[in-house]
Structures are given as structure tokens and as C-alpha cells.
Amino acid sequence: MEEQQEFTVKRVKRQTLNRTVYEAIKHSILKGDIPAGAKLSEVQMGKQLGVSATPVREAFRMLSMEGLIQIDPWKGAVVQGFSKQAALENCQCREALELLALRLFMKKMTEKELDALRYMIHAARTTTDISEFVRTSSAIHDVWIKGSGNSKLQLMIGQLSTVTLRERNVSASDNLRRAEIIKEHARLLEALESRDTARAEEVLSSHIRKGFEYSLKQTEKE
């Protein structure tokens, strides 16, 4: 029988269960204490955290939705890891597809959609919760992706979401990079408000590349 490996995770109090278990495991993954490719056991992780397997199972489900772990029926939960080439290919495809979505969106965007972007950028600026920041960042991008009105395009971008979500979580875990993301989104909003397509494309392209470069740099440190 394969011996279960122990990882560095902070012990949690019972009364804060689901959310605290999720945050503790997520923090350990992003920090590199639990490396890419590591197999995670609900029972073993529960013992380390001082909780039952139930909140750990829920945490694994949430982390899977964020692209940080992969749940395989046969192998169990495994921490996601992507090669430099895979991350680069994802970045190249995402940049091309999102720029197309942005161009289509700008042809018919409404003041209501711009108001939604203003609201979300403000929300991202004021939150201190990393998970909330990532959800808001994803929602910001969804404005022009869904606003493109192209269902095939939305589907293709959705197929890149696992790597993209992991990049967003890695970036959001750093205060300086998080501040940069807020500024980049604000600059994009300014270009949209000015109806400056060329400027909007330039800002979005730079934003996507910077996210890839930062995530890659952090991954190489692990």
C-alpha cells in the first residue's frame, strides 16, 4: 500500500470548517508547500488539519473549480501543474481569442455593460479576499467575452479556463501583482469609454501577457 505523504498545511479550528479548510489548502498550494503533481488524500489531509474528510472533500471540489487541483476518479485529487510550453500555448490562444471577443464587444457595447465594469473594478479594488478578487477578475473578462455575442468563441475561451484560473489565483496571491491587475483593468475601461479599439486591444494584450509571465516566474520558483 502506497504511503501517504504529509505536506505543510496550517492546522485549523473546527468552528470555521469549510471556508478555512479550503483557504488553508489553497494557501499551501499557491505558496508551493504542496507541489504540482502531489496526490492529496481527503483522510490524510483531514488528519493534518484536525477535521473530518467532509470539509476537505468540499475544499477539493472548490479548488478543482479554480483550476488548482484535478480530481480523477481513479487517481483521486492531484495538484495541477502545467509545463512552460502548455502555459505559453494557453496564453497565445487566449490572447488571440479574447482580442477577437473584445473587438466584437466594442461594436455593440452598452452603457449598462460599462457600468458593470466600473462596479466590478471598484469591487476588486476594495476586496481583501483573494478568492473574491479572482471571481471578480473572471467576471470582468466575461463582460467582453459574453458580450461578443459569439457562442463558438465563448466555448473556445472556456476550454482554456483551467490554466487561466490557475494563473489568476497565482497572480492574486501577490499584493503587488494584484494592484497591477486593478490598474490594467482600469486602463482597459478608459479605452472602452473612449471607444478606442486599438488602445483597448493593446492594454488587454499586455494584461494577458503579464499574467502569463508572472505566473510562469512564480511556477519556476517552486
Side-chain angles (χ1 to χ4, degrees):
M1 186 175 177
E2 186 178 349
E3 185 178 340
Q4 293 292 341
Q5 184 178 355
E6 288 202 356
F7 302 102
T8 304
V9 286
K10 191 192 295 182
R11 196 172 181 86
V12 299
K13 296 179 181 179
R14 282 188 175 277
Q15 62 266 30
T16 53
L17 243 35
N18 284 15
R19 185 72 186 181
T20 308
V21 168
Y22 154 75
E23 292 289 358
I25 300 173
K26 179 176 180 175
H27 176 76
S28 295
I29 291 173
L30 293 176
K31 192 179 174 185
D33 290 333
I34 304 178
K39 293 181 181 179
L40 305 179
S41 160
E42 292 175 5
V43 174
Q44 182 62 38
M45 188 64 69
K47 286 180 180 178
Q48 286 187 245
L49 296 170
V51 299
S52 70
T54 303
V56 176
R57 188 178 305 118
E58 176 62 15
F60 284 0
R61 186 190 67 79
M62 294 168 69
L63 292 166
S64 174
M65 290 174 65
E66 293 186 340
L68 293 177
I69 69 172
Q70 181 178 13
I71 299 177
D72 186 288
W74 306 106
K75 297 179 181 177
V78 181
V79 177
Q80 283 277 35
F82 302 98
S83 67
K84 180 178 180 180
Q85 184 61 28
L88 174 61
E89 289 173 3
N90 191 86
C91 175
Q92 291 170 335
C93 291
R94 183 185 165 210
E95 182 180 357
L97 293 171
E98 280 210 41
L99 287 176
L100 174 56
L102 186 70
R103 285 195 292 273
L104 293 173
F105 168 69
M106 290 189 72
K107 290 178 181 179
K108 54 182 180 178
M109 64 182 176
T110 65
E111 192 61 31
K112 185 177 180 180
E113 288 168 321
L114 290 177
D115 279 341
L117 283 170
R118 293 181 189 109
Y119 174 82
M120 287 186 281
I121 290 171
H122 174 73
R125 189 178 286 116
T126 55
T127 187
T128 57
D129 184 280
I130 292 175
S131 297
E132 183 62 33
F133 182 88
V134 171
R135 283 193 293 272
T136 304
S137 288
S138 296
I140 287 170
H141 285 256
D142 279 347
V143 171
W144 54 83
I145 293 170
K146 293 179 179 178
S148 69
N150 188 316
S151 58
K152 299 286 187 186
L153 182 57
Q154 292 173 46
L155 182 63
M156 287 188 283
I157 294 174
Q159 291 172 339
L160 307 173
S161 63
T162 301
V163 180
T164 302
L165 271 174
R166 187 179 190 282
E167 281 186 8
R168 282 181 182 147
N169 274 282
V170 170
S171 293
S173 65
D174 179 85
N175 290 335
L176 290 177
R177 177 59 194 146
R178 198 158 65 241
E180 288 175 355
I181 291 169
I182 293 168
K183 290 178 182 177
E184 289 161 14
H185 284 158
R187 283 195 288 270
L188 181 53
L189 174 60
E190 289 173 4
L192 291 173
E193 290 172 330
S194 302
R195 267 63 178 177
D196 188 337
T197 303
R199 174 60 177 160
E201 288 183 23
E202 178 188 354
V203 174
L204 179 58
S205 178
S206 173
H207 170 64
I208 291 172
R209 291 182 188 184
K210 284 180 179 178
F212 159 71
E213 289 164 2
Y214 178 83
S215 179
L216 185 64
K217 195 179 299 181
Q218 295 305 111
T219 302
E220 288 175 344
K221 287 180 182 179
E222 294 177 3

